[in-house]
Amino acid sequence: MICASLTSPTMDAALADMERASELADIIEVRFDYIHSPAVRPFVERRIKPIIATNRPAREGGNYKGDEENRIALLREAAAAGFDYIDIEMDSVDRLGGAGASKVIVSYHNFEKTPDDLEAIHKQLVAAGADIAKLAVMANDIRDTLRIFDLLRGAGAPTIGLCMGEEGVITRILGPRFGSFLSFGALADGKQSAPGQIPIRDMRELYRVNEINADTKLYGVIANPVAHSMSPAIHNAAFREKGINAVYLPLKVADVRRFVTEFRKLDMQGYSVTIPHKVDVIAVMDEVDQFVKDIGAMNTVVNRGGRLHGYNTDCLGALRAIESVMGGDEPLRGRRVVMLGAGGTSRAIGYGVKARGGKLIILNRTVAKAEKLAGEIGCDWGPMDRLPELTFDVLVNTTSVGMHPNVDETPAPADVLKKGMVVFDAVYNPMETRLLREAAERGCVTVSGVDMFVNQAASQFEMWTDTDAPVEVMRNVVIERLRGH
Ligand code: NAP
């Protein structure tokens, strides 16, 4: 069940928000500690979904700073008026003195950490007379969430369990799968009543929390930071489009090796891996693909029967994007490819171009880096100003030149761009860089960084599911997100 936690400051706003939230949530928590001059009866009279009364004191992370007797009196009044649930903190339950026909949620909050004695605290909540026990604790590392999942699995009594904070977000998505009675969400971004809450629309439509069950396959993106990642939107839209029972999670990970090792117990079926973990993660794979060995970086994990296989779909995504506009069986074989840049992306694409039989030249601002990379890949190299003297079929930009906010910059003078050439720019923000605009004006065939981004995600999807990726759906998500920036 999805529960919308309301943080509205006035009665009018709270009643309007309750109505709005009832369209998406299964149950509504009225946070009386946020409401100025609160009254209980209007909520009971206008409720559409079951309602929880909460009047959280500041000592447990709430907004209520007044007299303790008045705080509890409001909860008694809410019970008498017919609220479905009353939330009372463990240290105040004795003072409530019963809640009539309302069910009692006895709650424990810890805004500092996930304590070692979770099970003992849970026992105390149940012993205190909880119809539902609630534990909301802070995750300081994503591995803390495993302890909440263990607690929920073995709870043996109705329990709400969650980790707060960005590292705890997955407990809000997967809690019900492990038996949590409900999962709290915010009415909208910026209206969170606790750190890490997800908007209820995302819980229902993006993560499909209410459809998650024991058979739901788990995937996610390992990153730090992770909040900006477009991958959850892309992959969840793809799973939904294909009717696949799977969910893709944002995983904020500090120590990738310990994370991957300890999360084997959740039997995650696959991961995307991004900054800063693309190199370190290799050490905890059971097997890695040859490209990963060559490139020294990976971005995809596929779980095959408990064994973790590592791949690099940045490379595959770029090749797929470039080759799709060229035609033929081996479109890059024998073609002269100039690649600008000698960083991480250049490395991934360079090995791919070489493996496909392209005649590669790497040009870079820092020439020594071009020389080093070219030495490893086995290709020609030079400074950027060598570009005008070269004859080539494909130009690949892997520098960050032209990227937002420096959108007036370009890594290649327009007069090197000739009709019929293929010009690919790894930069995807903006979607059409100055390089691509000038290339199109001169009759080149252009391939954008969006194509690479979508194709690397599509390659991951296909490895995980053995079905064709819904590429257009995935592309639309990326475009929508980029336009929203
Ligand atoms: P990186 O490892 O930091 O490499 C950056 C490259 O850009 C280096 O070769 C650097 O040259 C060059 N460069 C930076 N500023 C320059 C300037 N003012 N003039 C000339 N060269 C300059 O970065 P990366 O991870 O490879 O990323 C490169 C670009 O690819 C970024 O824009 C990124 O967003 C994009 N990208 C796109 C996708 C996708 O899916 N479309 C995926 C990954 C990356 P020096 O060696 O001289 O510093």
Side-chain angles (χ1 to χ4, degrees):
M1 277 203 296
I2 296 170
C3 177
S5 188
L6 304 185
T7 57
S8 336
T10 64
M11 282 299 291
D12 284 350
L15 289 164
D17 283 348
M18 178 172 75
E19 194 176 332
R20 204 170 314 138
S22 298
E23 288 170 22
L24 289 162
D26 307 296
I27 183 164
I28 313 289
E29 179 187 43
V30 181
R31 287 289 299 261
F32 284 105
D33 51 310
Y34 279 84
I35 304 175
H36 186 67
S37 303
V40 297
R41 195 156 291 284
F43 291 101
V44 177
E45 285 164 359
R46 289 170 57 178
R47 92 181 124 197
I48 300 164
K49 298 281 175 70
I51 43 181
I52 303 172
T54 300
N55 201 11
R56 188 83 66 226
R59 65 169 189 283
E60 291 253 351
N63 264 3
Y64 187 89
K65 296 185 186 84
D67 175 73
E68 187 66 2
E69 189 42 47
N70 288 344
R71 183 177 79 82
I72 310 276
L74 182 137
L75 294 174
R76 279 191 215 108
E77 209 186 313
F83 263 76
D84 303 272
Y85 301 89
I86 304 297
D87 180 311
I88 183 88
E89 302 71 27
M90 186 162 69
D91 64 2
S92 310
V93 70
D94 290 343
R95 262 177 275 162
L96 184 65
S102 309
K103 293 222 153 99
V104 178
I105 301 171
V106 182
S107 59
Y108 166 84
H109 300 84
N110 189 325
F111 282 83
E112 278 174 18
K113 61 178 182 180
T114 302
D116 292 336
D117 52 347
L118 276 184
E119 277 75 14
I121 295 166
H122 180 255
K123 277 202 186 100
Q124 286 175 39
L125 295 170
V126 175
D131 292 304
I132 298 144
K134 175 188 167 189
L135 295 95
V137 297
M138 185 60 78
N140 292 313
D141 186 286
I142 193 163
R143 290 172 293 130
D144 290 338
T145 62
L146 292 175
R147 299 190 17 237
I148 279 288
F149 294 144
D150 280 345
L151 177 86
L152 286 169
R153 266 193 288 235
T159 300
I160 300 165
L162 62 98
C163 280
M164 295 182 283
E166 209 184 339
E167 285 86 348
V169 161
I170 67 169
T171 61
R172 299 185 182 276
I173 301 167
L174 296 182
R177 173 192 165 109
F178 293 103
S180 189
F181 177 71
L182 57 75
S183 183
F184 293 99
L187 185 58
D189 246 340
K191 293 196 167 187
Q192 279 83 357
S193 65
Q197 266 179 10
I198 305 169
I200 50 175
R201 183 172 298 284
D202 285 351
M203 289 177 81
R204 186 172 280 279
E205 294 173 3
L206 177 64
Y207 295 109
R208 296 185 289 162
V209 167
N210 281 355
E211 293 165 50
I212 292 175
N213 55 35
D215 296 329
T216 304
K217 293 197 161 46
L218 308 181
Y219 299 86
V221 55
I222 300 174
N224 193 8
V226 73
H228 69 287
S229 173
M230 287 193 275
S231 297
I234 298 169
H235 284 292
N236 283 316
F239 287 138
R240 184 187 182 131
E241 173 70 15
K242 288 285 198 163
I244 294 172
N245 184 8
V247 64
Y248 184 99
L249 308 162
L251 305 161
K252 186 179 177 199
V253 171
D255 181 333
V256 71
R257 296 184 188 184
R258 293 177 73 173
F259 167 81
V260 170
T261 305
E262 292 183 30
F263 263 61
R264 281 182 187 254
K265 70 189 283 195
L266 273 200
D267 201 29
M268 301 277 302
Q269 291 301 296
Y271 297 110
S272 310
V273 185
T274 186
I275 295 166
H277 299 308
K278 287 184 181 187
V279 175
D280 280 355
V281 70
I282 295 174
V284 281
M285 292 298 104
D286 297 309
E287 281 176 45
V288 292
D289 166 83
Q290 186 58 42
F291 273 139
V292 172
K293 288 182 189 154
D294 291 340
I295 297 165
M298 55 173 273
N299 74 332
T300 306
V301 180
V302 183
N303 178 345
R304 296 203 180 91
R307 289 183 65 74
L308 301 182
H309 297 245
Y311 297 93
N312 192 314
T313 68
D314 282 333
C315 169
L316 297 174
L319 290 177
R320 187 166 158 169
I322 296 168
E323 290 177 336
S324 70
V325 299
M326 296 180 76
D329 277 351
E330 292 188 285
L332 280 167
R333 183 158 301 281
R335 298 298 190 99
R336 293 156 300 186
V337 180
V338 173
M339 186 158 64
L340 309 176
T345 309
S346 173
R347 198 175 176 79
I349 300 175
Y351 273 103
V353 168
K354 183 78 198 267
R356 293 286 215 267
K359 290 186 189 159
L360 182 64
I361 303 178
I362 297 174
L363 307 182
N364 195 43
R365 178 178 63 178
T366 309
V367 184
K369 275 169 88 184
E371 181 179 8
K372 183 168 183 294
L373 181 59
E376 291 173 38
I377 294 176
C379 67
D380 197 0
W381 52 275
M384 294 280 271
D385 59 13
R386 203 176 143 196
L387 182 60
E389 10 171 302
L390 298 173
T391 308
F392 52 93
D393 307 300
V394 181
L395 181 68
V396 175
N397 175 44
T398 67
T399 74
S400 46
V401 178
M403 190 167 87
H404 183 83
N406 304 315
V407 295
D408 292 331
E409 294 178 5
T410 177
D415 53 13
V416 304
L417 307 169
K418 306 278 187 292
K419 193 171 171 20
M421 274 179 184
V422 173
V423 178
F424 165 65
D425 198 340
V427 173
Y428 59 81
N429 185 13
M431 287 182 271
E432 189 184 55
T433 57
R434 179 174 159 195
L435 173 65
L436 291 188
R437 194 174 60 246
E438 292 179 345
E441 283 164 7
R442 281 161 182 74
C444 304
V445 180
T446 60
V447 183
S448 81
V450 172
D451 295 313
M452 171 178 169
F453 191 77
V454 170
N455 279 312
Q456 63 79 22
S459 297
Q460 294 182 325
F461 184 92
E462 290 171 1
M463 283 184 192
W464 293 332
T465 63
D466 282 329
T467 52
D468 288 344
V471 179
E472 281 317 304
V473 169
M474 298 169 93
R475 183 187 310 279
N476 288 340
V477 172
V478 175
I479 290 171
E480 216 173 85
R481 292 266 160 158
L482 288 174
R483 287 206 174 122
H485 276 186

